[in-house]
Every structure is written in C-alpha cells, then in structure tokens.
Amino acid sequence: QVQVLESGGGLVQAGQSLRLSCTASGLTFDDYAMGWFRQAPGKERELVSCISWSGANTNYADSVKGRFTISRDNAKLLLYLQMNSLKPDDTAMYYCAPVLNFSSCRLNDDNQWGQGTQVTVSS
C-alpha cells in the first residue's frame, strides 16, 4: 500500500518562501510521476504541480507558475515544492501523490491521501 508523508508547511507572511517535502513508501519511487495538490477551506482539492518520473518534465497550475518549483531527488526518494512569493490565496493544506503521468496529473483510482501539510500565508 502506498503511503505518503508531507512536511515543511508553516505560517509565513505574504512574499516569503517555504519548501515542502514529500516521501513515499510502498512504491518504486522513480517509476512514478508525482504531483502536489492543495485544498483550501471550503474549496475542492486542486492541482498545483506535477513532475515526471525522471524530473525532466513539469506541469504547473496557472496560479503558481513562476512562483513555485517542483523537483525530486530519486536517490533520496523525496519530492519537493519550492514556494516563493507566497500569497494569502496559497493558504491551504498541501498533499502529494503519485500520478499516472506528469502532463495530465491524473490520480490513480485507488489513491490514498496522506495527512498533508498546512501552509498559511498572512497578509
């Protein structure tokens, strides 16, 4: 069973930065594209970014393009999300998950979400 663990969230002021990390077990990490998703209170979960298994290809939501950078270290089995120039609208619980491919960022039908990591951006 695939399990993921997100970390690195926190409370920051607008304009500041955070780096999220994600580790996954129960899968061969470098066989999978990976994605970051977020869910704000009262809103549906949305895609943030995805990355191919090799890290060579990435995909971003328009709302984070130019501010967020997704990366991975397959040797360390880690996925990252560098978030710069944070805005109050970025406030959400952030989740990582394996995806079927980086371009569609489509989740597996049996995806199990982790606990997430909370990002709160104050104005």
Side-chain angles (χ1 to χ4, degrees), residues 38 40 63-64 67-68 83-94 118-121:
R38 67 185 182 186
S63 59
V64 306
R67 300 189 299 121
F68 290 12
M83 305 186 296
N84 298 331
S85 303
L86 281 161
K87 304 175 181 180
D89 284 349
D90 296 317
T91 295
M93 188 73 78
Y94 283 72
Q118 177 67 40
V119 172
T120 303
V121 185

Short mmCIF file of all heavy atoms in Angstrom, two decimals, residues 38 40 63-64 67-68 83-94 118-121:
data_model
loop_
_atom_site.label_atom_id
_atom_site.label_comp_id
_atom_site.label_asym_id
_atom_site.label_seq_id
_atom_site.Cartn_x
_atom_site.Cartn_y
_atom_site.Cartn_z
N ARG A 38 -3.54 20.83 -3.49
CA ARG A 38 -3.87 21.59 -2.29
C ARG A 38 -5.37 21.75 -2.16
O ARG A 38 -6.11 21.69 -3.14
CB ARG A 38 -3.19 22.97 -2.32
CG ARG A 38 -3.70 23.91 -3.40
CD ARG A 38 -2.87 25.19 -3.40
NE ARG A 38 -3.34 26.14 -4.39
CZ ARG A 38 -2.73 27.29 -4.68
NH1 ARG A 38 -1.59 27.62 -4.05
NH2 ARG A 38 -3.23 28.11 -5.59
N ALA A 40 -8.01 24.30 0.02
CA ALA A 40 -8.29 25.40 0.92
C ALA A 40 -9.63 25.16 1.60
O ALA A 40 -10.48 24.44 1.07
CB ALA A 40 -8.32 26.71 0.15
N SER A 63 -2.01 29.44 -11.55
CA SER A 63 -1.96 30.29 -10.36
C SER A 63 -0.60 30.28 -9.66
O SER A 63 -0.32 31.17 -8.85
CB SER A 63 -3.05 29.88 -9.37
OG SER A 63 -2.87 28.52 -8.99
N VAL A 64 0.23 29.29 -9.95
CA VAL A 64 1.52 29.19 -9.27
C VAL A 64 2.71 29.29 -10.22
O VAL A 64 3.86 29.29 -9.75
CB VAL A 64 1.62 27.89 -8.44
CG1 VAL A 64 0.45 27.76 -7.48
CG2 VAL A 64 1.73 26.67 -9.34
N ARG A 67 6.22 31.10 -9.63
CA ARG A 67 6.45 31.26 -8.18
C ARG A 67 6.83 29.94 -7.51
O ARG A 67 7.61 29.94 -6.57
CB ARG A 67 5.19 31.80 -7.51
CG ARG A 67 4.74 33.15 -8.04
CD ARG A 67 3.61 33.74 -7.19
NE ARG A 67 2.41 32.89 -7.21
CZ ARG A 67 1.86 32.37 -6.12
NH1 ARG A 67 2.40 32.58 -4.93
NH2 ARG A 67 0.76 31.62 -6.22
N PHE A 68 6.26 28.86 -7.97
CA PHE A 68 6.52 27.55 -7.37
C PHE A 68 7.40 26.72 -8.30
O PHE A 68 7.29 26.81 -9.53
CB PHE A 68 5.21 26.79 -7.14
CG PHE A 68 4.32 27.34 -6.06
CD1 PHE A 68 4.55 28.58 -5.48
CD2 PHE A 68 3.25 26.60 -5.62
CE1 PHE A 68 3.73 29.08 -4.48
CE2 PHE A 68 2.40 27.07 -4.62
CZ PHE A 68 2.64 28.32 -4.06
N MET A 83 8.20 27.06 -2.81
CA MET A 83 7.15 28.07 -2.98
C MET A 83 7.70 29.43 -2.62
O MET A 83 8.05 29.68 -1.46
CB MET A 83 5.96 27.72 -2.09
CG MET A 83 5.41 26.32 -2.30
SD MET A 83 3.90 25.99 -1.39
CE MET A 83 4.52 26.13 0.28
N ASN A 84 7.80 30.29 -3.62
CA ASN A 84 8.29 31.66 -3.42
C ASN A 84 7.17 32.66 -3.63
O ASN A 84 6.14 32.34 -4.23
CB ASN A 84 9.43 31.94 -4.40
CG ASN A 84 10.63 31.04 -4.19
OD1 ASN A 84 10.89 30.57 -3.08
ND2 ASN A 84 11.36 30.78 -5.27
N SER A 85 7.38 33.86 -3.17
CA SER A 85 6.40 34.94 -3.34
C SER A 85 5.00 34.48 -2.95
O SER A 85 4.03 34.67 -3.68
CB SER A 85 6.40 35.43 -4.79
OG SER A 85 7.68 35.86 -5.18
N LEU A 86 4.91 33.89 -1.78
CA LEU A 86 3.63 33.33 -1.34
C LEU A 86 2.59 34.42 -1.15
O LEU A 86 2.89 35.55 -0.76
CB LEU A 86 3.83 32.54 -0.04
CG LEU A 86 4.42 31.14 -0.25
CD1 LEU A 86 5.02 30.61 1.04
CD2 LEU A 86 3.36 30.20 -0.78
N LYS A 87 1.34 34.04 -1.45
CA LYS A 87 0.21 34.95 -1.33
C LYS A 87 -0.81 34.35 -0.35
O LYS A 87 -0.86 33.13 -0.18
CB LYS A 87 -0.46 35.11 -2.70
CG LYS A 87 0.44 35.58 -3.81
CD LYS A 87 -0.31 35.59 -5.13
CE LYS A 87 0.58 36.04 -6.28
NZ LYS A 87 -0.14 36.04 -7.58
N PRO A 88 -1.65 35.19 0.23
CA PRO A 88 -2.71 34.64 1.10
C PRO A 88 -3.56 33.59 0.41
O PRO A 88 -4.02 32.64 1.05
CB PRO A 88 -3.51 35.89 1.47
CG PRO A 88 -2.50 36.99 1.44
CD PRO A 88 -1.60 36.66 0.30
N ASP A 89 -3.76 33.73 -0.91
CA ASP A 89 -4.55 32.73 -1.66
C ASP A 89 -3.89 31.37 -1.73
O ASP A 89 -4.53 30.39 -2.12
CB ASP A 89 -4.81 33.23 -3.08
CG ASP A 89 -5.89 34.30 -3.14
OD1 ASP A 89 -6.57 34.50 -2.11
OD2 ASP A 89 -6.05 34.93 -4.19
N ASP A 90 -2.61 31.29 -1.37
CA ASP A 90 -1.92 30.00 -1.35
C ASP A 90 -2.20 29.22 -0.06
O ASP A 90 -1.78 28.08 0.07
CB ASP A 90 -0.41 30.20 -1.49
CG ASP A 90 -0.02 30.80 -2.83
OD1 ASP A 90 -0.57 30.37 -3.85
OD2 ASP A 90 0.85 31.70 -2.84
N THR A 91 -2.89 29.84 0.87
CA THR A 91 -3.22 29.18 2.13
C THR A 91 -4.08 27.95 1.85
O THR A 91 -5.14 28.04 1.24
CB THR A 91 -3.96 30.14 3.07
OG1 THR A 91 -3.07 31.20 3.43
CG2 THR A 91 -4.43 29.42 4.32
N ALA A 92 -3.58 26.79 2.30
CA ALA A 92 -4.28 25.52 2.04
C ALA A 92 -3.52 24.40 2.72
O ALA A 92 -2.39 24.58 3.18
CB ALA A 92 -4.36 25.25 0.55
N MET A 93 -4.16 23.23 2.74
CA MET A 93 -3.47 22.00 3.10
C MET A 93 -2.88 21.46 1.80
O MET A 93 -3.59 21.34 0.80
CB MET A 93 -4.42 21.00 3.72
CG MET A 93 -3.74 19.78 4.28
SD MET A 93 -2.85 20.13 5.80
CE MET A 93 -4.21 20.18 6.97
N TYR A 94 -1.59 21.12 1.84
CA TYR A 94 -0.90 20.64 0.66
C TYR A 94 -0.65 19.14 0.77
O TYR A 94 -0.22 18.65 1.81
CB TYR A 94 0.41 21.40 0.48
CG TYR A 94 0.22 22.78 -0.08
CD1 TYR A 94 -0.33 23.79 0.70
CD2 TYR A 94 0.58 23.08 -1.38
CE1 TYR A 94 -0.53 25.07 0.19
CE2 TYR A 94 0.39 24.36 -1.90
CZ TYR A 94 -0.17 25.33 -1.12
OH TYR A 94 -0.36 26.60 -1.64
N GLN A 118 0.08 21.85 6.34
CA GLN A 118 -0.67 23.11 6.28
C GLN A 118 0.25 24.27 5.95
O GLN A 118 1.29 24.46 6.59
CB GLN A 118 -1.37 23.38 7.61
CG GLN A 118 -2.12 24.69 7.67
CD GLN A 118 -3.33 24.73 6.75
OE1 GLN A 118 -4.06 23.74 6.63
NE2 GLN A 118 -3.55 25.87 6.11
N VAL A 119 -0.15 25.05 4.97
CA VAL A 119 0.53 26.29 4.62
C VAL A 119 -0.45 27.43 4.87
O VAL A 119 -1.56 27.42 4.33
CB VAL A 119 0.99 26.28 3.16
CG1 VAL A 119 1.52 27.66 2.76
CG2 VAL A 119 2.04 25.21 2.93
N THR A 120 -0.02 28.37 5.68
CA THR A 120 -0.85 29.54 5.97
C THR A 120 -0.04 30.79 5.67
O THR A 120 1.06 30.96 6.19
CB THR A 120 -1.30 29.55 7.43
OG1 THR A 120 -2.01 28.35 7.72
CG2 THR A 120 -2.22 30.74 7.70
N VAL A 121 -0.59 31.64 4.81
CA VAL A 121 0.09 32.86 4.40
C VAL A 121 -0.72 34.06 4.88
O VAL A 121 -1.88 34.22 4.49
CB VAL A 121 0.27 32.92 2.88
CG1 VAL A 121 1.09 34.15 2.50
CG2 VAL A 121 0.94 31.65 2.36
#
